[in-house]
Every structure is written in structure tokens, then in C-alpha cells.
Amino acid sequence: MKRTFTQCFKALKTACMASRHFNVLKTEMQGRWARRRPVLKILPAMLALLMLAPHLMYASSNAVLFQQQPDMVSVKGTVTDDHDGSPLPGVTIMDAQRKTYGITDASGTFFIKVPRGVEIQFSFIGYSMAKQTFTADQDKVDIRLKATANDLNEVVVTALGIKREVKALGYAVTEVKGEQLTDAIASNWTDALSGKVAGLNLVRSNAGPTGSNKIILRGENNLTGDNEALIVVDGVVINNGSGRRTGITGENVYGTGSDNMPADYGSSINDINPEDIESVTVLKGPGAAALYGQRAANGAVIITTKSGNPKKKGVGVTVNSNASVEMINRWPDLQFEYGQGTAGANYYSFGAGPDGASTSATSSAYGPRFDGQMFYQFDPVTQAQSTVRTPWVPYPNKIRQFFNNGKTLTNSVSVDGGSEKTTARFSATNVTNQWIVPNTGYGRNSVAMSVNSKINDKLSISSKINYQNKFSDNLPGSGYGNQSLMYWFIFWQPNADLDWLKNYWKNGKIGRVIEYPYSSFPENPYAISYEFINKSNRNAVTGNIQATYN
């Protein structure tokens, strides 16, 4: 230990750290060593030494070692923008251990002392980091930082394609990137907005594969007027309502008297190809009305489609294919304890027969309990009462076989590229859908093109055009009536086999009379799917030309 203290004092002298306090301490300690005092009395002196010069030593398992302060060099210079040479104030100067040595002043200059040979980093938001090592004093260092492509602040598109910083807006705004809409493509791409925008409520019609959605922001504002948000595509206001939601005049969602029932052909926003969407900006509240007037009093949904990438040189081709399957994920609970009838009747008869009057005209299913009885029931071959008694049995969940698994296939190809002055993008997309109901589905063809051209340093011209063709050979009717499949679903009888309905024409009257053996309220579901046809074919074109002069 005596040798250890001797090394301590030699190190202190070498570093010019010896002082009157150390001389006193050394004298006291040497005297005590001469008198061989107990070690415990020397410990306070060791602690004092640690407090006076903690940076000069560190503890190991068997000795106390010392290291000298690093050799420092003085560096003076300026940090500038690599593009135009303008000074950069506020640049942080630090080493790899993130120890900060200083920042640049308003004129971009700095004066620091750093360890010799240590790599020093110069970092600034929006610029790539620069690194340099100094081995000697320098007074004219020029550090140049290159700007990166990252924006310094979050920017969104508002009216007429104008980009504004989010923090500069006086109303709430949320942006959804195009990638978030195509991760799992749905029949209606607006479904992807659900859960991504606070205060946004989608009112779904659930009326088929092209069923429309109403976009409501921050709740209903009035009881009698329109509460939907305004839809804007590339600066052009579009009508969110379908051009024709009903097939003929007089259609009614309450159609229990064999009325013609409407089909939901979807809305214009559904026709937009999600593969062509760059971003969706949701402007909430009446503050957005300052941009688009009274029509945006309920907020606005700003859709910006993709353009050519100015950073991509040459021509790039992208091909995407997406396949999705949709299945019914929840079924209502149906009872299979009682068959067709009322009041818990003790017999069943399809039409009047030996057992009594007909009990098959009702849509209720509270007749005889299934208990192995034999009754005169419907014969699907003759479409009349069977000539012999047949077992009184239920057909649990056979009704589910009417529905299919839906399939959607999306194929798209895009070509983009350009030069320093001009960029362009072209895309084509085809969508084919087969829905969960037989003989229903839709198709969509979309073409989009955009061209951006920089005429000179001040004038730029951009143009976009989008074309959509959406068509369907058949869409399901919606509402509460005999042409609605769900109306049949709730009145179907547990004692009937679904297969009995597949021959839906009455014997000898094909093409003229539809056969449905039970209540007169519902209609044969196969006839609804294959004979009650709701066709559609809609074309839409949106586009704009914009000139910007700075």
C-alpha cells in the first residue's frame, strides 16, 4: 500500500495537480507510515485524495491506477450549407459518445476544444451528419452539410393542392398514407379509414359488395340536412352520392308488398382506385369551411393521387397483385327444436290432408317439436304434398350453404420516371369480385396519369387525370321485403331442406311463375339471385391542371 501512495503522489506531481493540501496530506501520511499507524486511520486521507482529484484515477481489484487528461486541441471554423454556402446556426458538435462540445452561433461559426485524434460529429436537423478528426490546432475549418430529403415539419395538403405545416393550421387535421389503405384491400377502401382518424365515423349500408359508406366527422351536426364530409380529389370536389342509387322510380326499402327494392350501387368515392392514392387528409370541423365554403361545414376529406417521383431517374415499373377472401364471420342463433307452425301445434300438414287443415302457410316456426314423428310434407319433385308420410326432422344450419366465400383479385401495373425537368406516372388497375351471395359481384377498371413539368426556375405545371369504370352484372337488393335475401333468411323454416329451392320455377311454368312452397311473404332466394337482376355500369373521370409560379 505504501508503494501505491507513492505512485499516487508521483502522478499528482506529473499532472501539476500537487498543492499545499496534498503536501500536508503527504507529510501526514508519510509520518503515519513511519509510526506504522493502523490502516483504518489512513482511509480518510485516501478519501480526501479521491475527492480532490477523482478524474485522475480509477479503482481496480488490486491497485489504484491513474490516467492523464487527454491532449486537447483548439478548433475554430464555420458550418455551411453544401448547396448554397449559407451559414447554419445551431449545429450540434459532439463525439461518438454524444458528449457535446458546443454549437454554432448565428453566423454558423464555432470555437471548441476537443481531444486530439477523436472523431467529432456535426449534426443538424434536415442535414446529413458530417464527421472529422482533428490532430492539431486549426482556426479555418470549413464544414459543409448536405441537405437530406426529409421534411423538417409535417406537411399536409389543404385546398387547391396547397401544402401547409400542420402546426400552422387553425383546425384539426389527420393524414393517412396510401400504404395504410392497401395493406389489406377491402371491397370499399374507405373501410381502411376506420380506427385511423379520431372522430371519424363510417355509416355503412352493408348492402352488397359495392355498398356505400357515409363519412361523418365529429358526429351529426343537424337532424334534417346532410352531415357527410365533403370529398375532394386532387383539388376537385366530387359528388359522394351515387349517380343513381335506385334502379327505377318507386323503389322502397320497405317492400313487403312485392315492391321493387333498391340496390346500393355505391358512391363515387368507392370508385377511386386505392392503389393510386398517395394520401388522404381529413380536415375536421367547421374551420375547414374557410377553404371550401359552406359545403365543408361538416369537414372535408382531401384525396391526393400519386405523381411521378422526381428523385427517381429513368423509368421504373411496378406490378402488384392482391387476392383476398371474405367469409361470414358470425351467424345468428337459430332454433331447431320446433318446426313450421303456430302455437305449438301437435301435427303438421303441407296443404290440407288426412291429418287436418294446412299448417304450411305461416312464416312462424312454433309448430310440432321434432320428436321422430311422420307427417305429410312438401315433395320437391312434384312441388306438392307428398303421397306418403316422411320423417319430421330439422336441417340444422343447412341454410348456411346458400352463401359462398367471397373472392377479390386485384392486379395493377404502374410506370413512372422522368428527368430533372419533367416527371410522369401512368397506372392501370383491374379488380374482379365474386361476392358471398351467388351470382353477385362487380368489376372495376382504372387508369390514372400524371405529368409534372418545370418550365423554368419560377413556373411549374402539373396535370392529373383519373378514369374509372365500375360495372356489375348483378347487385343484391336491400331493405325489408321479399326481394331481400335477409328477409328470406329470417323466415326460412327449420324443417325444410335448402336443396328443395334450387329448382325455383314452377313445374310447367318455367320463366313465368316462381315456386316458393311456404309463406307468401318471402321469395325464393335462388330466384332473387338469378332472376331479380340489378345491373350497373358507371364511368367517372376526374382531373385537373395546375400552374405554380414562385
Side-chain angles (χ1 to χ4, degrees):
M1 184 174 291
K2 181 177 181 180
R3 183 179 59 198
T4 300
F5 280 104
T6 302
Q7 292 175 352
C8 293
F9 292 118
K10 287 181 179 179
L12 290 173
K13 288 181 178 179
T14 302
C16 298
M17 294 296 294
S19 64
R20 179 174 54 87
H21 301 286
F22 289 112
N23 291 330
V24 174
L25 180 60
K26 179 179 178 182
T27 302
E28 179 183 352
M29 293 175 64
Q30 288 178 340
R32 291 182 179 180
W33 275 112
R35 294 190 296 269
R36 298 183 180 181
R37 296 292 178 90
V39 176
L40 292 176
K41 293 185 178 181
I42 303 176
L43 292 179
M46 294 176 65
L47 293 175
L49 180 61
L50 289 172
M51 294 175 64
L52 290 171
H55 61 286
L56 295 178
M57 67 179 180
Y58 61 92
S60 67
S61 59
N62 56 4
V64 180
L65 305 178
F66 291 80
Q67 67 181 51
Q68 298 180 359
Q69 282 188 322
D71 189 11
M72 308 294 284
V73 296
S74 298
V75 181
K76 183 179 181 181
T78 306
V79 181
T80 58
D81 188 309
D82 183 66
H83 176 67
D84 57 13
S86 59
L88 296 177
V91 176
T92 302
I93 305 170
M94 58 185 177
D95 59 19
Q97 284 69 44
R98 305 192 67 81
K99 178 181 178 180
T100 302
Y101 293 94
I103 61 174
T104 59
D105 59 19
S107 59
T109 60
F110 63 92
F111 178 73
I112 56 175
K113 289 187 176 182
V114 297
R116 186 189 304 272
V118 174
E119 185 178 69
I120 302 301
Q121 302 173 352
F122 297 81
S123 62
F124 192 55
I125 298 176
Y127 289 81
S128 298
M129 180 184 295
K131 300 178 181 180
Q132 190 164 334
T133 302
F134 303 99
T135 58
D137 294 342
Q138 299 185 44
D139 58 0
K140 292 184 179 181
V141 177
D142 184 19
I143 305 296
R144 305 182 73 86
L145 300 185
K146 294 183 178 181
T148 63
N150 299 328
D151 295 332
L152 298 183
N153 298 292
E154 184 179 0
V155 176
V156 296
V157 178
T158 58
L160 301 176
I162 300 173
K163 295 183 178 181
R164 297 281 304 278
E165 293 184 10
V166 173
K167 64 183 181 181
L169 299 176
Y171 44 85
V173 59
T174 302
E175 185 179 47
V176 179
K177 296 296 184 182
E179 294 79 6
Q180 298 174 266
L181 305 176
T182 56
D183 287 339
I185 300 178
S187 297
N188 190 334
W189 68 266
T190 57
D191 288 338
L193 295 176
S194 181
K196 294 183 175 65
V197 181
L200 183 145
N201 182 33
L202 292 177
V203 181
R204 299 174 173 88
S205 69
N206 295 320
T210 63
S212 56
N213 289 344
K214 288 185 177 181
I215 300 178
I216 309 296
L217 299 175
R218 292 185 171 177
E220 306 281 350
N221 292 329
N222 58 76
L223 299 177
T224 58
D226 185 9
N227 290 283
E228 293 186 61
L230 185 69
I231 307 300
V232 183
V233 180
D234 292 329
V236 179
V237 177
I238 67 172
N239 179 19
N240 191 27
S242 167
R244 191 178 181 87
R245 288 183 182 268
T246 58
I248 60 175
T249 304
E251 291 180 338
N252 195 332
V253 293
Y254 189 77
T256 57
S258 298
D259 309 89
N260 287 307
M261 303 193 68
D264 190 344
Y265 297 105
S267 55
S268 299
I269 191 175
N270 305 143
D271 298 345
I272 299 173
N273 179 21
E275 298 280 356
D276 291 330
I277 296 177
E278 179 179 344
S279 66
V280 177
T281 303
V282 181
L283 311 179
K284 307 172 190 176
L291 302 174
Y292 292 99
Q294 178 61 27
R295 293 177 297 176
N298 297 317
V301 177
I302 313 300
I303 301 171
T304 303
T305 59
K306 294 179 180 178
S307 302
N309 189 348
K311 299 175 185 177
K312 182 182 294 186
K313 304 302 180 184
V315 177
V317 179
T318 303
V319 178
N320 287 322
S321 289
N322 182 288
S324 63
V325 178
E326 53 184 329
M327 297 175 288
I328 298 175
N329 71 340
R330 191 180 311 160
W331 296 93
D333 292 330
L334 303 176
Q335 67 87 18
F336 294 95
E337 185 176 355
Y338 299 90
Q340 186 180 21
T342 58
N346 58 7
Y347 81 96
Y348 175 82
S349 179
F350 183 81
D355 292 337
S358 174
T359 63
S360 62
T362 180
S363 59
S364 301
Y366 185 41
R369 183 194 296 267
F370 295 112
D371 197 21
Q373 309 97 307
M374 303 286 285
F375 295 125
Y376 290 98
Q377 301 182 63
F378 175 73
D379 182 358
V381 177
T382 62
Q383 297 181 345
Q385 187 187 79
S386 61
T387 58
V388 297
R389 297 178 187 272
T390 55
W392 182 244
V393 295
Y395 295 84
N397 299 324
K398 187 70 177 288
I399 192 174
R400 298 182 182 181
Q401 297 181 11
F402 175 79
F403 300 92
N404 304 319
N405 289 337
K407 306 177 188 68
T408 303
L409 181 63
T410 304
N411 294 302
S412 66
V413 58
S414 63
V415 180
D416 67 337
S419 60
E420 295 181 358
K421 296 290 186 179
T422 302
T423 60
R425 181 181 185 273
F426 173 83
S427 69
T429 302
N430 171 262
V431 178
T432 303
N433 170 270
Q434 296 178 358
W435 203 47
I436 58 175
V437 172
N439 196 40
T440 58
Y442 71 94
R444 186 184 72 233
N445 294 315
S446 304
V447 177
M449 186 171 183
S450 67
V451 178
N452 300 325
S453 182
K454 188 175 182 180
I455 307 302
N456 51 47
D457 293 339
K458 294 184 175 295
L459 179 61
S460 298
I461 297 178
S462 62
S463 62
K464 292 182 178 181
I465 185 169
N466 299 278
Y467 168 75
Q468 299 95 25
N469 170 232
K470 194 170 187 178
F471 54 91
S472 175
D473 291 333
N474 182 35
L475 293 172
S478 59
Y480 183 83
N482 69 332
Q483 295 177 29
S484 168
L485 290 170
M486 299 315 296
Y487 186 80
W488 157 79
F489 187 94
I490 63 176
F491 288 128
W492 184 234
Q493 300 300 332
N495 56 283
D497 189 340
L498 180 68
D499 294 337
W500 299 349
L501 300 180
K502 291 183 177 180
N503 179 23
Y504 55 82
W505 291 117
K506 200 167 189 64
N507 291 343
K509 298 181 179 180
I510 296 177
R512 291 182 294 157
V513 180
I514 295 173
E515 169 66 17
Y516 187 75
Y518 302 111
S519 169
S520 60
F521 290 117
E523 189 57 272
N524 189 305
Y526 290 100
I528 294 175
S529 296
Y530 290 96
E531 303 299 334
F532 293 27
I533 302 300
N534 298 300
K535 291 187 176 182
S536 70
N537 188 7
R538 183 167 62 211
N539 298 279
V541 179
T542 59
N544 72 349
I545 298 177
Q546 180 176 324
T548 304
Y549 186 83
N550 294 321

